[in-house]
Amino acid sequence: MTYSVPQNLRNSFLQSEDGAATPFAIFIFCIFVAVGGLAVDFNKAVSERTQMQLATDTAAHAAAYTWEFQDIDTSTTTALETINGMLPDVAYRNALLADDIEYGFWDPALLTFTVDPTFVEDKDDPLRSAVRARAQLEEARSNQSRNILLSIIGQDKFSISTETVYIAYYPPCFTEGFV
């Protein structure tokens, strides 16, 4: 016994638009998840970057200030102790290490920092002693910023880095007793 579907029933099924909203709704849902994930995860990454920027600013300032009166090791230790509570280990593990704090000088003409831990500032020279601090959330340190919603579409992590250069500069009026 052979069974065949009547021609008019087959054509009505092929021409029917019932249920077309379901694939459209799934498509729109995927777009909303991607856009919502981008908003949530990007906002989280910007917040983490801001927190790291504050930490590098504080570390560079502490190191530059301490370097005026102490050696480099003491300055680095002071800088890391200063930011100890600013970067929680859970989210920022190894973001700012002792090797990330560098000492040297700033060239105001070229707007460049040069690493030179033996640099001694001369008030007649335009070069100024400076400290650079870098913080990084990256794959090499195994501390990338993890995404919440974008991991659904394959973007699991963001790499974030910040840098600060702090210059120690005392104008002559401060050092010659006018102030």
Side-chain angles (χ1 to χ4, degrees):
M1 174 172 172
T2 61
Y3 180 74
S4 66
V5 177
Q7 186 69 25
N8 61 354
L9 186 59
R10 184 181 316 145
N11 288 342
S12 68
F13 176 75
L14 293 176
Q15 294 173 354
S16 173
E17 294 182 7
D18 293 344
T22 302
F24 182 70
I26 291 171
F27 177 72
I28 294 297
F29 175 75
C30 290
I31 290 174
F32 280 136
V33 166
V35 171
L38 186 61
V40 169
D41 291 331
F42 183 74
N43 190 22
K44 178 181 173 284
V46 168
S47 174
E48 290 173 341
R49 186 191 179 288
T50 302
Q51 188 73 14
M52 285 178 22
Q53 186 66 54
L54 289 170
T56 57
D57 291 350
T58 303
H61 181 262
Y65 182 77
T66 308
W67 190 30
E68 292 289 319
F69 308 106
Q70 303 287 331
D71 63 343
I72 288 177
D73 292 334
T74 305
S75 300
T76 302
T77 302
T78 302
L80 292 175
E81 287 173 356
T82 303
I83 64 156
N84 193 18
M86 293 180 77
L87 297 177
D89 281 342
V90 175
Y92 301 97
R93 182 182 62 253
N94 299 329
L96 184 64
L97 304 171
D99 293 340
D100 295 329
I101 300 173
E102 301 172 316
Y103 300 85
F105 61 88
W106 176 259
D107 187 347
L110 300 175
L111 299 177
T112 58
F113 174 82
T114 304
V115 177
D116 182 6
T118 62
F119 178 74
V120 177
E121 187 173 326
D122 177 12
K123 68 179 181 177
D124 296 326
D125 191 350
L127 300 179
R128 300 289 170 225
S129 58
V131 176
R132 177 171 59 192
R134 293 180 176 176
Q136 299 171 345
L137 294 177
E138 62 180 10
E139 187 174 0
R141 294 185 183 202
S142 300
N143 64 350
Q144 284 182 302
S145 174
R146 293 191 176 132
N147 292 335
I148 300 167
L149 294 176
L150 287 181
S151 60
I152 294 171
I153 60 171
Q155 180 66 35
D156 294 338
K157 300 174 182 176
F158 284 134
S159 292
I160 304 170
S161 64
T162 61
E163 179 178 310
T164 298
V165 176
Y166 233 92
I167 304 164
Y169 172 64
Y170 297 104
C173 57
F174 285 123
T175 58
E176 294 175 359
F178 292 116
V179 175

